[in-house]
Amino acid sequence: MLNMAENTNSGANLPSGDPQLIALIVEHLKSRGLFDEFRRDCLADVDTKPAYQNLRQKVDNFVANHLSSQDWSPSINKNQVRNGLRQSVVQSGMLESGVDRIITQVVDPKLNHIFRPHIEKAIHDFLASDKGEEGASNLTCEADQQDATSSSATPKTQ
């Protein structure tokens, strides 16, 4: 895993699209809590959308039908029934298509108006701070070199 403290100066020198630069930016976005914010924003909306309500109803019906066909006994292995049910739900394909519809209704409308501006600002801040830190460290080194080579003891003014 990349350590941002060690790699902040190298980000400005990496070409656009470089996997290391992308990893640094993603880590920066995570450290600012943007992904958590986006997740909370989407989860707050999800249960109000028709795609979620339809998927939930389909899954509830599927589970009820599956369980009604089970022969029940006190010695039934509930974990086996649960795993069989989980496999049947996954194999039915209803989750995949249902989740795609949920994404279309919940995430897609937020992409351009909410998520993209936040991401672009965070990337801009990351790249600006990366260049700023690099420039600041260069200025500090130059000032230290000038102080070391200076033979006169002139007072510094602010």
Side-chain angles (χ1 to χ4, degrees):
M1 177 156 236
L2 294 172
N3 182 350
M4 282 194 50
E6 294 173 1
N7 292 311
T8 49
N9 288 340
S10 64
N13 300 325
L14 296 171
S16 176
D18 184 279
Q20 186 179 5
L21 177 62
I22 292 169
L24 287 168
I25 291 171
V26 167
E27 191 60 38
H28 178 71
L29 295 173
K30 285 181 179 180
S31 71
R32 293 184 64 179
L34 277 180
F35 290 123
D36 292 332
E37 181 183 328
F38 296 162
R39 183 175 52 247
R40 280 190 302 270
D41 192 17
C42 289
L43 288 175
D45 280 354
V46 77
D47 60 351
T48 65
K49 300 298 181 187
Y52 171 81
Q53 294 165 350
N54 291 339
L55 178 60
R56 182 172 178 139
Q57 186 64 43
K58 282 182 184 179
V59 171
D60 286 347
N61 290 338
F62 188 91
V63 169
N65 288 335
H66 183 82
L67 293 178
S68 69
S69 68
Q70 290 292 318
D71 293 328
W72 293 101
S73 71
S75 62
I76 194 167
N77 184 335
K78 293 176 185 165
N79 285 332
Q80 213 170 24
V81 172
R82 189 178 301 120
N83 289 336
L85 175 59
R86 185 178 297 122
Q87 282 181 335
S88 295
V89 168
V90 169
Q91 288 172 353
S92 74
M94 78 174 90
L95 290 181
E96 191 172 322
S97 62
V99 169
D100 286 345
R101 286 189 207 104
I102 291 171
I103 290 170
T104 298
Q105 290 181 8
V106 176
V107 178
D108 288 354
K110 298 176 187 299
L111 277 178
N112 290 323
H113 301 308
I114 297 172
F115 300 159
R116 179 165 283 145
H118 284 303
I119 291 170
E120 287 175 350
K121 181 179 182 335
I123 291 171
H124 180 270
D125 292 349
F126 171 78
L127 294 174
S129 70
D130 200 31
K131 288 179 181 176
E133 288 173 9
E134 190 173 279
S137 64
N138 288 344
L139 288 175
T140 303
C141 289
E142 289 174 10
D144 290 345
Q145 287 174 351
Q146 286 178 350
D147 286 346
T149 58
S150 174
S151 58
S152 64
T154 56
K156 292 183 182 176
T157 57
Q158 291 182 338

